[in-house]
């Protein structure tokens, strides 16, 4: 078993927080182990809990469409969440759950070593970078501990909001433009520097 398969197995069997009691399935990260980018959402919803896969419901469709708009497919990237089990009624995962589960995200990042991590929405922004007010910071490039981050809105926010669909789509296009520049060793300008 490779290292990511081991994490996947550990997530499937995990009972480290209360969410294990109410989940149907844990939802490990999924996608290309050699991806240049990891997308990080909040937590599984109903469809993800049922299927054991991240972003397979309505929000997932929006994410897939945004990727396609940038000439990418889900299979080419790696998609995961801060918290790997569905919180009851889709409530926002609490600090204990996030802190407990973040161990898995850290491992996913350290194995894949993405050029950039795309933070989707406020919960991921807050959990990963300590940020808030996603609408103010979306579209920006951040750096913390020598890791680059790209901040954008959560795909679920676009479900009933046509305007936000173009925001998400253009952010994702910007993200992949940036990744191409990184691959060509072009210098990128950092909008926000975080210190740990
Ligand atoms: N919303 C998320 O944050 N993650 C998923 O996997 C699905 C919906
Ligand atoms: Fe384990 Fe994370 Fe699921 Fe909690 S949410 S049981 S820490 S995998």
């Amino acid at each position: 078993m490779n290292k990511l398969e081991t994490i996947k197995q550990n997530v499937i069997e995990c009972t480290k927080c209360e969410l294990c009691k109410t989940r149907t399935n844990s939802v490990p990260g999924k996608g290309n182990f050699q991806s240049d980018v990891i997308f990080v959402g909040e937590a599984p919803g109903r469809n993800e809990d049922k299927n054991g896969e991240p972003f397979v419901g309505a929000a997932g469709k929006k994410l897939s469409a945004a990727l396609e708009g940038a000439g990418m497919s889900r299979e080419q990237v790696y998609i995961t969440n801060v918290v790997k089990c569905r919180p009851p009624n889709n409530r926002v995962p609490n600090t204990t759950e996030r802190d407990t589960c973040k161990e898995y995200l850290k491992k996913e990042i350290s194995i894949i070593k993405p050029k950039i991590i795309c933070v989707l929405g406020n919960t991921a922004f807050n959990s990963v970078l300590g940020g808030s007010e996603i609408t103010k910071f979306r579209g920006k490039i951040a750096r913390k501990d020598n890791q680059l981050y790209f901040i954008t809105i959560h795909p679920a926010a676009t479900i009933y909001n046509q305007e936000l669909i173009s925001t998400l789509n253009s952010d994702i296009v910007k993200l992949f433009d940036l990744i191409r520049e990184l691959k060509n060793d072009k210098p990128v300008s950092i909008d926000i520097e975080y210190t740990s």
Side-chain angles (χ1 to χ4, degrees):
M1 230 175 355
N2 71 33
K3 285 185 193 165
L4 273 163
E5 285 294 331
T6 306
I7 295 175
K8 186 174 169 182
Q9 207 48 47
N10 292 343
V11 166
I12 288 170
E13 292 162 9
C14 182
T15 53
K16 285 187 205 243
C17 87
E18 290 284 303
L19 295 179
C20 72
K21 295 183 184 160
T22 47
R23 74 180 176 219
T24 312
N25 292 295
S26 313
V27 179
K30 189 166 188 238
N32 176 6
F33 296 178
Q34 290 169 350
S35 178
D36 295 318
V37 54
I38 297 183
F39 288 87
V40 184
E42 176 177 310
R46 183 189 295 276
N47 288 288
E48 292 76 20
D49 176 68
K50 214 182 197 172
N51 292 288
E53 287 185 24
F55 282 97
V56 289
K61 285 207 178 80
K62 300 294 182 193
L63 178 58
S64 295
L67 287 170
E68 275 158 35
M72 298 296 293
S73 68
R74 291 174 69 107
E75 292 68 35
Q76 286 173 282
V77 300
Y78 189 85
I79 302 172
T80 193
N81 285 297
V82 171
V83 160
K84 281 23 177 187
C85 300
R86 183 194 185 203
N89 301 317
N90 295 350
R91 65 162 171 76
V92 177
N94 65 36
T95 315
T96 310
E97 292 155 357
R98 293 192 222 176
D99 289 348
T100 312
C101 208
K102 239 161 69 179
E103 164 208 339
Y104 296 117
L105 177 62
K106 279 193 191 141
K107 285 186 183 158
E108 289 171 297
I109 295 168
S110 74
I111 295 166
I112 296 173
K113 298 189 180 65
K115 293 200 187 314
I116 195 158
I117 294 169
C118 182
V119 163
L120 300 166
N122 255 321
T123 302
F125 185 31
N126 185 258
S127 306
V128 176
L129 293 170
S132 58
E133 296 184 274
I134 195 85
T135 45
K136 226 172 162 177
F137 291 99
R138 59 136 283 278
K140 294 195 188 300
I141 301 159
R143 183 164 56 195
K144 186 183 182 188
D145 297 333
N146 239 3
Q147 172 69 59
L148 291 181
Y149 295 86
F150 184 76
I151 301 158
T152 191
I153 56 173
H154 194 287
T158 72
I159 294 173
Y160 299 109
N161 189 327
Q162 197 64 35
E163 250 173 67
L164 289 183
I165 292 188
S166 31
T167 303
L168 177 68
N169 290 352
S170 60
D171 276 359
I172 300 299
V173 168
K174 180 179 171 182
L175 168 66
F176 285 100
D177 286 345
L178 178 68
I179 291 171
R180 270 185 289 277
E181 289 178 8
L182 289 170
K183 286 176 122 171
N184 289 326
D185 290 323
K186 292 227 179 95
V188 297
S189 64
I190 311 292
D191 299 307
I192 318 164
E193 288 278 3
Y194 288 97
T195 46
S196 55

